[in-house]
Amino acid sequence: YIVDKESLPDEIKSSITAGLNENDNMTDIYGVNEDYSVYYIDINGEVVCGKLEYTTIPAGEEIKAKDPVTQEVLQTIFNSEKVTAGNLKGVTELRINENNDLPNIKNLDMLYYFPDLKSLYIYKTDLDNMDGLKYSKGIEYLYMDTNTCKDYNGLSHLTRLNDIYFYNLYVSQRRIENNDMANIFKGLAPLKNLTSLRIHSYAQNTW
């Protein structure tokens, strides 16, 4: 469900959670009724919190992100000035900056609009962090090509990730070094489903 949480009153926004962290069997599906009451649905589709009265934003309703960079990302991805809830629904694969058309990305907060992602490809970005991955916890495959990032701890949100490939890995505008690997592995450590890890930083530094 797509919920514009930022536009809600603070007392409502603070009451919305994306599941129960201690229970891996719960999926991150929540919603807000027209009266701002909150409901939560478990993996079997049963309403376990709140009362379901209004299920989803109409497909034709326009989505407008408050952050101009996020809005630019959405418009570029869908090649349209107007992005609707119908465009976002069911998107399972996303390629960010593949054509060098989104040079200003500093975070992954735009993933808030892509809760159904299974595969994520990120190209040539200079990220401050990867915290935005918390919005797309269902990602199973992550590919990063020639990116820089100051903080990789956000990787820990991808509890369903089973395959990750870093190509031309950098940290903060410099080639990856051995001491950086500890920080990257710290982010990867909680990922129990990870079965494939490939890290490449030019031929002489392939891991």
Side-chain angles (χ1 to χ4, degrees), residues 63-93:
I63 300 297
K64 292 184 178 180
K66 289 187 176 182
D67 174 31
V69 174
T70 298
Q71 186 66 22
E72 180 186 7
V73 170
L74 296 178
Q75 292 171 334
T76 301
I77 289 172
F78 295 103
N79 193 28
S80 174
E81 288 294 317
K82 180 180 179 180
V83 178
T84 67
N87 293 135
L88 301 173
K89 184 179 181 181
V91 176
T92 59
E93 179 178 302

Side-chain angles (χ1 to χ4, degrees), residues 18-29 40-44 46 48-49 137 159-160:
L20 306 175
N21 293 332
E22 69 273 12
N23 190 335
D24 291 336
N25 292 324
M26 301 294 276
T27 55
D28 300 326
I29 301 175
Y40 180 84
I41 302 176
D42 71 9
I43 195 170
N44 298 312
E46 298 292 331
V48 296
C49 177
K137 295 182 181 179
T159 55
R160 300 181 186 177

Side-chain angles (χ1 to χ4, degrees), residues 130-197:
M130 304 188 73
D131 293 345
L133 292 172
K134 64 186 177 184
Y135 299 119
S136 299
K137 295 182 181 179
I139 291 174
E140 298 173 355
Y141 176 73
L142 175 62
Y143 175 82
M144 299 188 67
D145 186 342
T146 320
N147 296 278
T148 67
C149 186
K150 297 179 178 66
D151 182 358
Y152 283 89
N153 286 329
L155 290 169
S156 62
H157 295 295
L158 301 183
T159 55
R160 300 181 186 177
L161 188 71
N162 56 58
D163 190 357
I164 184 169
Y165 186 11
F166 294 103
Y167 184 78
N168 287 349
L169 185 62
Y170 287 78
V171 173
S172 301
Q173 298 292 354
R174 61 179 172 77
R175 194 83 57 83
I176 196 75
E177 296 176 359
N178 285 345
N179 59 330
D180 297 314
M181 297 305 299
N183 292 327
I184 293 174
F185 285 132
K186 180 180 178 181
L188 295 173
L191 308 185
K192 299 178 182 179
N193 292 318
L194 188 65
T195 57
S196 176
L197 169 63

